[in-house]
Amino acid sequence: MSGKKSLWSLLVLALLMSCTNGESPYRFYDWNVTYGDIYPLGVKQRGILINGQFPGPQIESVTNDNLIISVFNSLDEPFLISWNGVQQRRNSWQDGVYGTNCPIPPGQNFTYVLQVKDQIGSYFYFPSLAFHKAAGGFGGITILSRSVIPVPFPPPAGDFTILAGDWFKQNHTDLKAILDGGHDLPFPDGLLINGHESNGNTFTVDQGKTYRFRISNVGLTTSINFRIQGHKMLLVEVEGTHMLQNTYDSLDIHLGQSYSVLVTADQPAQDYYIVVSMRFTPQVLTATSILHYSNSAGSFSGPPPGGPTIQVDWSLEQSRSLRRNLTASGPRPNPQGSYHYGLINVTRTIRLANSAPIIDGKQRYAVNSVSFIPADTPLKLADYFKISRVFSLGSIPDNPTGGGGYLQTAIMAADFRGYAELVFENAEDSVQSWHIDGHNFFVVGMDGGQWSPDRRLNYNLRDTVSRCTVQVYPKSWTAIYMPLDNVGMWNIRSENWARQYLGQQFYLRVYSPANSWRDEYPIPKNALLCGRATGRRTRPL
Ligand SMILES: *[C@@H]1O[C@H](CO)[C@@H](O)[C@H](O)[C@H]1NC(C)=O
Ligand SMILES: *[C@@H]1O[C@H](CO)[C@@H](O)[C@H](O)[C@H]1NC(C)=O
Ligand SMILES: *[C@@H]1O[C@H](CO)[C@@H](O)[C@H](O)[C@H]1NC(C)=O
Ligand SMILES: *[C@@H]1O[C@H](CO)[C@@H](O)[C@H](O)[C@H]1NC(C)=O
Ligand SMILES: *[C@@H]1O[C@H](CO)[C@@H](O)[C@H](O)[C@H]1NC(C)=O
């Protein structure tokens, strides 16, 4: 009885909140995207800068804020920015990938209108077209809780963003040419932390105080390990989920993933290394920054601390230790545990196997044998304007076929309000990282070997993390549960940028027949039109 009552009051509260949504604050950003000289590995490179910055400016927001981001493309190539982890509820129009948006032509601008609806946490944005991500153009996104929502830890004395990842000396057009030529990328030339390889950043802390570090892997091809010399890290948030606060000496962060930790400056006052190093690679490159106590008596002693390198089991164990705090609030005042994801009936199981086929003599990457090729018109626009022969639904199977790879503009159809089980199956020797736009999902299981239905007996149906990017270990599987609660055209992709570029991605079209603004926003008035959508009207006459 009282359970029912509180559920009712939560529903009323939710309704009230959605009605007052228009009241949410607006934040305006004016971005000019240019080429500029950067020297991340000591040699001059042509980086992609945003308002002259590499990495780009931080977006700092609060749950439900409206972000109005005007992007002027001063490059000599078409350009788009996408928002890793921002769910774009009802609004795949703003997702900024080639399947949803026309590129911003050189010398023109486009204004994104996003809302960070019902979200908290740490994310990043990045340039989504061609191989631009290899030149920069990325930056951090912070979504703080609204002041009325309790946060399960005291306010930190400072909030730092760390964007780390591998880096190449070759520029993005040369790297793209290697891939277009049918070859794999070379091994990266370095690792960077906020654009620097070795001690280019200093994070200053006061002894005795506690700080939040939000760390994202913005790299192209490698998993990383993050650690701070002499300090423990309390894991508090993973891609919008408040976690059971376990302590770690170091954390594995796979491509496209974001973590936030609390670090207390509780050591003797000196300088310490902040370290990222490569994981699961034949050669281990490292980048360092400095944790500087404001009353520091001196510099480091000894070399940066080492971390794990090739150990897969260690990483698997660590990722199994990620549990969400069921009693903590998320973006809403109700506890994260009030959504019983494990009790909902699955309406569809989709198994996705990655592979690396050679097609027409060239290296490609595929999922369920399909290697994605873009259409001449963004899929979302083709769908909206009912332009035929751009794509066909069901052009990627729900299960691995075992057959050889083939090229296809792959779209999977899905019903709004369904509840999907997705199993990522990795028969290859490398770690995979998968990201789904527009959704968060529950990571219910991962293990070595082949997935089979009896693996469900060991799923975590109670307190696993809800996130948007998940790794799959070599010769292993990862299973997720995902509510199909966001109508739109959504990119599902490898976060390994060479694999993504060479076809390891597809689109999920979450469809509602209602054709109602409650389910999906209408096409924005400023939508850019291109391909076979050129000249169409974005508003009725
Ligand atoms: C963008 O930056 C470039 C280089 O600084 C400048 O020439 C150009 O006028 C700027 N464009 C806009 C729209 O601010
Ligand atoms: C951006 O584009 C709009 C038209 O879509 C135009 O009115 C505005 O002046 C442009 N801004 C800049 C800085 O070019
Ligand atoms: C979980 O969240 C609750 C409520 O905010 C908090 O009091 C508690 O300390 C958290 N527990 C852990 C283990 O993180
Ligand atoms: C990348 O480098 C090549 C030479 O290796 C050069 O021709 C090309 O213009 C460069 N691209 C950019 C975007 O700077
Ligand atoms: C799930 O399915 C079972 C068996 O078909 C049914 O008994 C149960 O009521 C369903 N649960 C929900 C929450 O729909």
Side-chain angles (χ1 to χ4, degrees), residues 86 190 293 315 336 353 356 476 511:
V86 174
Y293 279 51
S315 194
Q336 295 180 146
S476 301
Y511 178 73

Side-chain angles (χ1 to χ4, degrees), residues 353-365:
N354 52 279
S355 60
I358 305 289
I359 302 178
D360 299 336
K362 291 184 170 178
Q363 180 68 63
R364 296 287 302 184
Y365 292 96

Side-chain angles (χ1 to χ4, degrees), residues 461-478:
L461 297 181
R462 207 180 87 83
D463 64 351
T464 193
V465 59
S466 163
R467 64 188 313 175
C468 54
T469 310
V470 73
Q471 74 274 21
V472 193
Y473 292 102
K475 304 228 181 309
S476 301
W477 55 270
T478 294

Side-chain angles (χ1 to χ4, degrees), residues 474-487:
K475 304 228 181 309
S476 301
W477 55 270
T478 294
I480 64 172
Y481 278 0
M482 184 169 82
L484 299 168
D485 57 1
N486 199 6
V487 172

Side-chain angles (χ1 to χ4, degrees), residues 99-120:
T100 60
N101 292 70
C102 293
I104 309 170
Q108 292 189 32
N109 71 16
F110 174 69
T111 301
Y112 290 88
V113 180
L114 321 177
Q115 192 188 17
V116 288
K117 176 121 182 74
D118 276 335
Q119 285 196 271
I120 53 168

Side-chain angles (χ1 to χ4, degrees), residues 32-58:
N32 185 7
V33 180
T34 61
Y35 279 124
D37 291 342
I38 54 174
Y39 302 80
L41 296 176
V43 296
K44 183 157 104 178
Q45 291 186 264
R46 215 167 158 218
I48 293 179
L49 315 183
I50 296 179
N51 292 350
Q53 298 173 43
F54 167 69
Q58 180 84 12

Side-chain angles (χ1 to χ4, degrees), residues 142-163:
T142 301
I143 312 175
L144 296 171
S145 298
R146 288 177 294 145
S147 55
V148 294
I149 311 287
V151 173
F153 47 89
D159 194 320
F160 300 120
T161 289
I162 290 196
L163 301 174

